[in-house]
Amino acid sequence: NNVRGVYRCGYGELYGLEGAGYYVFNKLLEDPESPVDAAVAEYCQAAFGPAAGLMQQFYDTQDARLRGLDRLQQNYLPTCGNGLKRYLRTTSPNNGDLHAWALSPDTVKALEDFLSRAEATEGLSDKEKRRLDLVRREFNYAKTMGEIAYLYGAYKFRPTPASFDALAEAILARREAMLGLSDGKDGGIK
C-alpha cells in the first residue's frame, strides 16, 4: 500500500496494562493476518508463565470493555468529523466520564479477581512477579481514577455532604498514594 513508515505517538507508556496490546500491535505489523488471540496468549505465556491463563482473561476483559467504547463511538455518537471528541466537547467538560465508563465497578471487580489470582499463582519466577507488580501498580492507579470518576458522578447527581465526603476521601487517598510514589515508595498504589 506504499506505506513508507509508521509513527506511533504515545506508544509504550503503560507496559503493565497495555503490554499485550503493544505485543499484538507489533505482531500485526509483521503480519497483518496474525490471529490476535494467539498473539495475546503467546505474550501472556512469555510474560507471566504459570499465570498466563489468568492474565489472558485479565487482558481480554479489559479489551472487551474498551472495545465497547469503540462501538459506542461508531454506533451512537455523531459520525461527522471526529465523533467522540465532538461528543465530549458538547457533553462532558472532563475525561472522568470515560474513566467511569471504562472502569465500571463490575469491570474492576473482574480485573481485580484475575490479577489477584495471577499474583497468588505458585511457581512464578522473579521476573514474572515483577511484571505482575507492574500490572498491579498501573491497575491500582487506573482503578483509583475510575473510583474518583464514579464518586464525582454520584456527587453531581446528589450533591450531599455524604457524597462529597466519599469523593474527597478517594481524592485524598489517591494524593497520598501519588506522594508515596514520588518519594520512592509504592505509597498504596502497589
Side-chain angles (χ1 to χ4, degrees), residues 140-141 144 171-183 185-190:
N140 283 355
Y141 175 81
T144 301
I171 291 170
L172 290 173
R174 177 193 176 275
R175 180 181 184 278
E176 288 302 312
M178 296 307 296
L179 288 174
L181 286 174
S182 68
D183 64 13
K185 301 175 188 171
D186 285 328
I189 291 287
K190 183 175 180 186

Side-chain angles (χ1 to χ4, degrees), residues 4-66:
R4 297 191 188 262
V6 175
Y7 173 71
R8 300 179 297 192
C9 179
Y11 184 85
E13 295 159 351
L14 295 170
Y15 286 102
L17 288 182
E18 298 176 351
Y22 300 152
Y23 186 81
V24 168
F25 179 86
N26 285 297
K27 291 296 272 188
L28 292 173
L29 282 177
E30 288 177 356
D31 177 9
E33 302 302 318
S34 291
V36 170
D37 291 341
V40 173
E42 183 178 306
Y43 171 81
C44 289
Q45 186 59 51
F48 305 109
L54 290 165
M55 289 309 294
Q56 184 166 356
Q57 290 177 287
F58 177 92
Y59 288 117
D60 287 348
T61 300
Q62 176 182 260
D63 186 57
R65 187 66 180 173
L66 293 174

Side-chain angles (χ1 to χ4, degrees), residues 24 30 84 86 88 95 98-99 121 152 158 166 174-175:
V24 168
E30 288 177 356
L84 183 58
R86 183 177 190 180
L88 291 174
N95 288 328
L98 293 176
H99 282 292
T121 301
Y152 181 59
R158 296 227 168 120
R174 177 193 176 275
R175 180 181 184 278

